[in-house]
Structure formats: C-alpha cells, structure tokens
C-alpha cells in the first residue's frame, strides 16, 4: 500500500511539473528588437546619389554632378581626379565627393592675338603669355588647346569685373588669330574683321565651355571689358550680338528697353553732359555694370577708355569713347537686364 501511494505521488509530481513547463512555454513572449533598415536604405541611397568613380589605365575620373547646379555648385570633374600621396598613408575616396564645391572656372574671356597663325602659336606656347585655346584662321576644323582647363593660363593679366580681380585665377581664355587694328594720324582705329569660320569655331567652343561650367551670361567677356584702360581685344568687329542671338552666349540689351530710355538719355546728354553730377552718375553706372572705374565726376582718360570698351562690345557702330545718348541708353538698359547680385 505504501509502495502504491509512493508511485501515485511521484506520478502526480511529474505531471504537475510537466504542466507548469507547458504553461510557461505557451505564455512566453520573447522581446523583439526593432531594427531600422538603415544599412539597406543608406546603401541604396548612396549608390543613387554617389555614382562610382571610374578608372582608365589607373587614372580616376568623376564626371557626375550631385550638387545644386542652381547655386552654381558642381562636383563633376572634367579631368582626372588629383589626389595627395602622403608617405606612409593611404588616401581613400570612401566619402567622395562632398557636394559643397564649385568650379574654379567662373569666366570666359575672349582675345585676339595681333599676330598671324604661326607666330600666334609660337608666342602662346613658348613665351610668358598663354591661353587655354587658340582659334586659328586657316579655314579648317581644328581648335588648338594650349593649357589644361584645370590650370591657370596667363591671358587676362591685371583685370577686374564686378567683385572679382585677377581673373586668370577664375577664367578660361580663348585667343583668336586676328591682326587687331591700325590707327591713323588722329588716333582713329580701324579693326580687322573675323572670318565666318573663326566665329563658328568660337561659338561652338564657347557654348561647350559655358554649358559645362555653368558660366552666366554676365561672365562671358572681352579682354577690353576686364582691362579697359589697356586692352581693346577682341574689338568692335567681333560679333557679340550674333553669339547672343544665334548661340545664346553672353549678354545683350533689350532693344525695347533701350528705346524707352533714349528720350531721357538725349535730354541728359544735351543738357547735363559736362556737369560733374551727371559724369559721376555715368561712372557709377559703368561701375555697377561691372567695369573697374572710379567715379570722380570728370571725363578723364580712364572713363573715356571704359566707355570705348562698352562701345566695342555693345555699340560697335561708333566706338569713340564719348557717352552719347544711345550709349547712355544702352548702358542703362544693360543694368536693368543684368543687375548686380
């Protein structure tokens, strides 16, 4: 009897323990760790916004922009990526490129050589002056590149436009083979024309450059614009309006705006021409547009040459350096259309 009771008690204990285990098993709810799909999302995002650097013969390139082009920012490289090689360390491009960057190339400056083709090549490659490109006058389809666009060429010299100075640092220069001008005994200048072939080459080249570097219209300039007291190139024979009309390159005033300003400009010129406040007003308008001129209320030589430079570019029919009514209306129309930001 005692043995029977022992067996029954043992069976009850086993059953009780088994039941408790089953209850715990059925009611247990393991903790779940909520993980954000961070790695997957970021990886996909990174792949989308940061394309791979390409390599050719061991040289790295990155030609895709991921920055904000509306702010003139651009991460694209139009040459090989130049990197440091510090001794004992490895430079990696795990986080390349940062979006906060833009091009060095802010300006496009046009020149003429005052030399024939062969001498232009020699001087621009063997002496202390250069340009990124040289447009010959041989009637062929070639444009000579003389300097890497990522490097400074020595084409602008002492120069200024709006808030910028020393434009070699921030520009690409195009030289055009042209003999410049001859002057008569009175100092009147007669400029040589450019061939149609040259104009087409310059237009195609300029279009490519301003598009790639997002160069604004206000920064496509003549050498005479950025150095008016010492330079005349490319002169009044260069067809700026043709580039504007047919290729959407550079600046030009609105004819309607000029006409609306012409009557008041005629009054200004006929009644106030030699008054210091009017001269100061003209000088200030030239300065506002971009020319480096220092208002002093006098028709000095620097002011006359600056007016001449304006006329070379925007009023080539008459480039005598005198602020007549049409030139004054044109200058005001330009300032309306292209205000300083």
């Amino acid at each position: 009897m005692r043995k029977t009771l022992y067996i029954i008690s043992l069976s009850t204990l086993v059953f009780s323990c088994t039941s408790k285990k089953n209850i715990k098993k059925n009611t247990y709810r393991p903790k779940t760790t909520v993980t954000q799909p961070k790695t997957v999302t970021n990886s996909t995002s990174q792949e989308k916004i940061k394309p791979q650097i390409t390599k050719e013969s061991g040289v790295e390139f990155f030609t895709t922009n991921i920055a904000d082009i509306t702010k003139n920012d651009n991460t694209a490289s139009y040459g090989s990526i130049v990197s440091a090689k510090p001794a004992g360390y490895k430079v990696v491009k795990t986080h390349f490129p940062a979006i906060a960057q833009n091009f060095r190339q802010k300006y496009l400056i046009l020149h003429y050589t005052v030399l024939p083709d062969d001498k232009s090549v020699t001087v621009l490659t063997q002496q202390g002056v250069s340009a990124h490109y040289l447009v010959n006058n041989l009637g062929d389809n070639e444009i000579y590149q003389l300097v890497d666009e990522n490097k400074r060429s020595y084409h602008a010299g002492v120069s200024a436009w709006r808030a910028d100075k020393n434009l070699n640092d921030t520009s690409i220069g195009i030289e055009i083979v042209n003999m410049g001008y001859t002057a008569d005994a009175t100092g009147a200048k007669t400029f040589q024309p450019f061939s149609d072939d040259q104009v087409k080459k310059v237009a195609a080249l300029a279009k490519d450059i301003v598009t790639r570097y997002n160069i604004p219209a206000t920064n496509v300039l003549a050498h005479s614009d950025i150095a008016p007291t010492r330079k005349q190139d490319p002169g009044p024979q260069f067809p700026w309006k043709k580039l504007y009309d047919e290729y959407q390159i550079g600046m030009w005033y609105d004819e309607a705006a000029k006409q609306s300003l012409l009557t008041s400009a005629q009054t200004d010129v006929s009644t106030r021409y030699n008054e210091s406040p009017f001269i100061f007003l003209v000088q200030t308008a030239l300065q506002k547009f971009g020319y480096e001129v220092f208002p002093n209320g006098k028709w000095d030589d620097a002011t006359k040459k600056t007016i001449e430079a304006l006329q070379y570019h925007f009023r080539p029919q008459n480039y005598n350096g005198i602020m007549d009514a049409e030139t004054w209306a044109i200058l005001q129309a330009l300032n309306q259309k292209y205000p300083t930001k």
Side-chain angles (χ1 to χ4, degrees):
M1 180 68 178
R2 186 178 297 173
K3 185 176 182 180
T4 305
L5 289 173
Y6 174 77
I7 292 169
I8 292 170
S9 298
L10 183 61
S11 300
T12 305
L13 179 62
V14 171
F15 176 78
S16 174
C17 290
T18 306
S19 300
K20 286 179 182 178
K21 285 181 181 178
N22 289 339
I23 291 168
K24 286 182 180 177
K25 185 175 181 181
N26 292 337
T27 58
Y28 175 67
R29 295 290 183 270
K31 292 183 180 178
T32 355
T33 305
V34 180
T35 55
Q36 299 296 330
K38 185 175 181 181
T39 305
V40 177
T41 304
N42 281 359
S43 174
T44 306
S45 175
Q46 291 284 58
E47 287 175 7
K48 285 183 179 179
I49 68 169
K50 289 196 174 184
Q52 295 296 310
I53 295 168
T54 59
K55 282 190 178 182
E56 293 181 22
S57 303
V59 179
E60 294 179 320
F61 299 87
F62 187 89
T63 56
T64 304
N65 179 39
I66 60 171
D68 187 350
I69 199 66
T70 64
K71 296 178 181 177
N72 206 35
D73 289 347
N74 201 313
T75 59
S77 172
Y78 294 121
S80 58
I81 300 168
V82 180
S83 304
K85 296 181 180 179
Y89 296 90
K90 181 182 180 181
V91 173
V92 298
K93 297 181 178 64
T94 309
H95 307 289
F96 181 94
I99 64 171
Q101 58 177 290
N102 61 18
F103 291 125
R104 174 195 68 80
Q105 299 86 342
K106 291 174 58 180
Y107 290 92
L108 178 62
I109 312 298
L110 304 190
H111 309 256
Y112 59 41
T113 63
V114 200
L115 293 168
D117 286 275
D118 54 347
K119 289 185 178 178
S120 294
V121 171
T122 300
V123 169
L124 290 170
T125 59
Q126 303 300 319
Q127 297 187 21
V129 63
S130 62
H132 293 90
Y133 295 97
L134 173 62
V135 174
N136 66 37
N137 195 24
L138 301 176
D140 58 21
N141 69 341
E142 294 185 342
I143 297 169
Y144 307 144
Q145 181 166 11
L146 310 180
V147 176
D148 182 345
E149 288 182 5
N150 290 322
K151 302 288 182 66
R152 294 168 67 246
S153 72
Y154 302 158
H155 66 99
V158 178
S159 51
W161 185 255
R162 295 192 170 182
D164 294 326
K165 298 184 184 299
N166 300 319
L167 299 190
N168 278 339
D169 295 342
T170 54
S171 65
I172 289 179
I174 298 175
E175 287 276 3
I176 311 165
V177 172
N178 181 280
M179 294 307 294
Y181 69 87
T182 56
D184 62 19
T186 67
K189 302 180 187 72
T190 302
F191 288 80
Q192 298 300 309
F194 296 85
S195 70
D196 289 341
D197 289 334
Q198 286 181 306
V199 173
K200 289 177 181 177
K201 284 184 184 182
V202 172
L205 178 59
K207 189 70 173 179
D208 173 77
I209 292 168
V210 300
T211 300
R212 283 189 291 116
Y213 293 112
N214 200 35
I215 296 174
T218 51
N219 291 6
V220 181
L221 302 164
H223 198 184
S224 55
D225 290 323
I226 63 173
T229 60
R230 63 188 186 86
K231 293 294 179 179
Q232 298 78 35
D233 53 316
Q237 290 282 1
F238 187 77
W240 288 103
K241 191 172 189 303
K242 183 182 180 72
L243 259 67
Y244 177 83
D245 288 340
E246 297 183 17
Y247 299 91
Q248 297 75 53
I249 298 170
M251 298 179 283
W252 201 258
Y253 57 87
D254 291 334
E255 183 64 28
K258 185 197 88 170
Q259 291 299 329
S260 70
L261 292 160
L262 197 53
T263 301
S264 62
Q266 288 169 337
T267 302
D268 285 340
V269 169
S270 62
T271 62
R272 306 172 59 199
Y273 188 80
N274 288 314
E275 294 178 6
S276 183
F278 174 68
I279 300 170
F280 190 91
L281 180 65
V282 169
Q283 291 170 327
T284 302
L286 288 165
Q287 186 184 63
K288 180 181 178 182
F289 183 52
Y291 293 103
E292 187 176 51
V293 63
F294 304 100
N296 59 12
K298 299 176 182 178
W299 293 122
D300 56 17
D301 186 61
T303 301
K304 180 179 178 181
K305 286 179 177 176
T306 303
I307 294 168
E308 196 171 348
L310 174 74
Q311 291 170 331
Y312 289 156
H313 195 142
F314 299 103
R315 204 270 183 101
Q317 300 82 5
N318 186 349
Y319 46 88
N320 59 9
I322 296 171
M323 183 56 76
D324 58 15
E326 185 173 8
T327 305
W328 179 221
I330 288 171
L331 176 57
Q332 293 177 86
L334 286 167
N335 272 323
Q336 282 185 6
K337 187 173 182 179
Y338 304 105
T340 305
K341 294 181 180 179

